[in-house]
Amino acid sequence: MSDKAKIAVLVSGGGTNLQALIDAQNSGIISSGEIKLVISNNEGAYALQRAKKADISAIVCSKKVLGSEFENTLIEILDENKIDIIVLAGFMCILSEKFTSHFANRIVNVHPSLIPSFCGKGFYGLHVHEAALSYGVKVTGATVHFVNEIPDGGKIIMQKAVYIKDDDTPETLQKRVMEEAEWKILPLAVEKVSKEIKG
Ligand code: GAR
């Protein structure tokens, strides 16, 4: 019997952060937890292919299709699979207090800025980097934090800074923040939380 923390990764798009978690599991950076399940709210998400290639169960749970039953269905699936840790890796749905309190201190999110800058409602994906560039900050980065009822408002687990270049576009900045910060700190934070839960 495995005594590792059972991890579910929730995704919506390309899934490069999911890939970083899979790679970290394969290389041993994540050793206290195991990715058991990938759930996408979008049936076209490339993240689903990444899960398939890695031999991880992947399912689609669409908010559009399920409507008001979306969160109840998610809770049911996560509970049935005895999931210990839920990782939001580019999951573009805001979760209600009912959901976040059901899994208090068990949900982890990666956000592409240094919280409390450029976060909260409306700040997701490329918009975060557009906002950082238009404000003119010289340093940005990524944050991994616990998820509570306040969007991007839960306790910070890890952060990493990334310098902004004069010729950065939202796209070049997004790529560098992923490469230099997100893909590094997300696996480290997931290992830390897995170890704490199982320790
Ligand atoms: C990542 O940059 C992630 O930090 C961001 O979406 C991207 C998903 O990329 N998440 C948010 O903005 C959440 N507020 P991925 O699908 O390639 O991992």
Side-chain angles (χ1 to χ4, degrees):
M1 210 178 70
S2 160
D3 61 349
K4 295 186 178 198
K6 293 186 178 63
I7 300 167
V9 186
L10 274 52
V11 296
S12 300
T16 64
N17 279 288
L18 168 65
Q19 191 64 54
L21 292 170
I22 293 170
D23 294 346
Q25 184 169 285
N26 291 338
S27 70
I29 291 172
I30 295 179
S31 62
S32 306
E34 189 175 353
I35 306 167
K36 289 286 185 192
L37 186 62
V38 170
I39 304 177
S40 173
N41 70 317
N42 162 21
E43 64 177 354
Y46 184 67
L48 290 167
Q49 308 303 318
R50 296 183 190 271
K52 210 171 153 191
K53 264 188 213 154
D55 229 357
I56 298 167
S57 308
I59 50 179
V60 176
C61 204
S62 161
K63 195 171 180 174
K64 266 190 215 151
V65 173
L66 293 163
S68 61
E69 279 308 298
F70 175 62
E71 284 193 356
N72 287 337
T73 310
L74 274 183
I75 292 174
E76 227 174 83
I77 295 169
L78 294 163
D79 281 347
E80 263 171 21
N81 285 277
K82 298 192 168 40
I83 294 300
D84 297 306
I85 300 172
I86 299 158
V87 181
L88 309 183
F91 186 62
M92 299 303 176
C93 297
I94 290 184
L95 296 161
S96 75
E97 183 169 6
K98 184 185 167 196
F99 187 96
T100 58
S101 58
H102 189 87
F103 298 106
N105 298 317
R106 300 286 173 121
I107 314 173
V108 165
N109 180 48
V110 59
H111 182 77
S113 75
L114 293 175
I115 290 176
S117 290
F118 313 117
C119 63
K121 207 163 174 260
F123 287 98
Y124 60 90
L126 209 55
H127 299 303
V128 179
H129 305 291
E130 284 164 359
L133 289 177
S134 99
Y135 196 96
V137 291
K138 301 298 175 202
V139 181
T140 185
T143 303
V144 179
H145 63 94
F146 284 113
V147 175
N148 63 11
E149 69 285 1
I150 303 157
D152 298 324
K155 192 176 170 222
I156 291 172
I157 303 166
M158 240 174 242
Q159 290 188 303
K160 189 162 190 286
V162 173
Y163 284 103
I164 289 179
K165 295 181 179 171
D166 288 344
D167 60 352
D168 261 330
T169 64
E171 289 78 9
T172 60
L173 186 57
Q174 180 180 51
K175 185 166 179 279
R176 223 169 48 261
V177 168
M178 283 177 157
E179 287 170 355
E180 291 181 14
E182 294 184 52
W183 302 342
K184 295 195 170 145
I185 62 171
L186 183 61
L188 293 176
V190 167
E191 171 59 15
K192 184 173 188 279
V193 174
S194 299
K195 210 169 178 176
E196 279 164 11
I197 282 181
K198 285 292 157 186

